[in-house]
Amino acid sequence: MSATTPLATPPLATTLRDRAILRVGGAEARPFLQGLLTQDVLSLQPGAPRYAGLLTPQGKALYDMLLWADAASGEDVLIDCEASWAEALARRLTLYRLRRPVTIGIEEGLAAHWSADPVEGASADPRLAALGWRWLAPAREGDASDFCRAHRLAQGVPEGVAELGEDKTLWLECNAEELHGVDYGKGCYVGQENTARMHYRNKVNRRLVVVPLDRSDPARLRIAYPALGLAVDHRPVDSLEGLTLPDWQADALAEDAE
């Protein structure tokens, strides 16, 4: 997919100020998250982030996130999530904690960073290599959030509550499988039953797609970005014919149709 945006000049800043970092700590941090999230947390390694979701029991997306292993502690997991929803995510995780010796809180000393080009010590985005490079470090001056959003949408990748919808969209309809956001071999997690059923029956009937604004279907619109000339729609797959989709998504739809 290609898109023309007014954000053609790469930013000098790298800090994503629309993101926040949650730390889930304690000896049971990983087993705790393992039973909640769509991605395998037990084998998470430093420098190799993973894309994951926290779902409803019905398999609908609540929050998506990137998971990072904290090399210093060995056990803690750092969650790169939307800043505007970080406290809500922390509260949701706390509801599941019960009496487990797990700590959950915002890590004020770290920020998410992004670059479209390789950076020493950074990791390729686990969803799609074309999305660029990410790393965690103290915040720097400036804000790369708008540049990162424009780049991400140009690759056809939706993220976050405004685009995925909170309790509105089944996880596989968010392209989670194609973006490496689900591990079918990891065991049980919240929403696992319906997600696995859709996968094994090949029943993903709707998809989130990034489309030119003038091709958006008002009845299916999730969010519009007029400055970018783009929109995110939640569409039945049989309504996507004639749209120019990114290769990764077009290939997935072709496989589903076989």
Side-chain angles (χ1 to χ4, degrees), residues 24-32 42 75-76 100-103:
V24 180
E28 293 190 28
R30 291 187 179 222
F32 167 68
L42 298 181
E75 296 291 340
D76 292 5
R100 300 186 79 158
V102 173
T103 60

Side-chain angles (χ1 to χ4, degrees), residues 163-244:
E163 296 172 18
L164 305 188
E166 186 182 17
D167 194 11
K168 292 182 179 179
T169 315
L170 292 165
W171 186 231
L172 296 191
E173 295 177 351
C174 300
N175 309 295
E177 182 168 336
E178 294 72 29
L179 298 174
H180 312 108
V182 57
D183 184 331
Y184 293 110
K186 61 155 289 188
C188 295
Y189 55 88
V190 178
Q192 182 263 346
E193 183 176 0
N194 201 25
T195 303
R197 183 185 300 115
M198 289 178 66
H199 167 69
Y200 290 114
R201 294 182 178 179
N202 197 26
K203 291 290 186 180
V204 184
N205 297 322
R206 294 176 178 81
R207 293 275 183 170
L208 286 176
V209 292
V210 181
V211 298
L213 188 56
D214 60 2
R215 298 292 304 277
S216 176
D217 180 351
R220 306 292 182 180
L221 175 66
R222 186 57 56 79
I223 186 172
Y225 295 97
L228 301 177
L230 298 172
V232 178
D233 284 6
H234 184 216
R235 298 247 198 133
V237 295
D238 58 10
S239 73
L240 300 179
E241 187 175 354
L243 291 175
T244 301

Side-chain angles (χ1 to χ4, degrees), residues 98-188:
L98 301 176
R99 296 179 180 273
R100 300 186 79 158
V102 173
T103 60
I104 303 166
I106 295 177
E107 184 74 2
E108 301 289 356
L110 288 177
H113 293 258
W114 170 84
S115 172
D117 301 312
V119 172
E120 184 177 357
S123 301
D125 194 299
R127 295 169 290 183
L128 191 69
L131 288 176
W133 299 77
R134 300 178 77 107
W135 66 100
L136 303 182
R140 298 171 54 185
E141 292 185 3
D143 187 357
S145 301
D146 288 344
F147 292 90
C148 183
R149 182 183 305 109
H151 183 81
R152 172 177 59 80
L153 291 169
Q155 308 305 319
V157 177
E159 74 173 22
V161 170
E163 296 172 18
L164 305 188
E166 186 182 17
D167 194 11
K168 292 182 179 179
T169 315
L170 292 165
W171 186 231
L172 296 191
E173 295 177 351
C174 300
N175 309 295
E177 182 168 336
E178 294 72 29
L179 298 174
H180 312 108
V182 57
D183 184 331
Y184 293 110
K186 61 155 289 188
C188 295

Side-chain angles (χ1 to χ4, degrees), residues 22-36 54 87-106 190:
L22 291 182
R23 178 182 291 273
V24 180
E28 293 190 28
R30 291 187 179 222
F32 167 68
L33 291 174
Q34 183 77 356
L36 297 178
L54 177 64
E87 291 186 359
L89 173 57
R91 288 194 298 269
R92 175 75 65 162
L93 293 174
T94 300
L95 288 176
Y96 288 109
R97 183 179 59 185
L98 301 176
R99 296 179 180 273
R100 300 186 79 158
V102 173
T103 60
I104 303 166
I106 295 177
V190 178

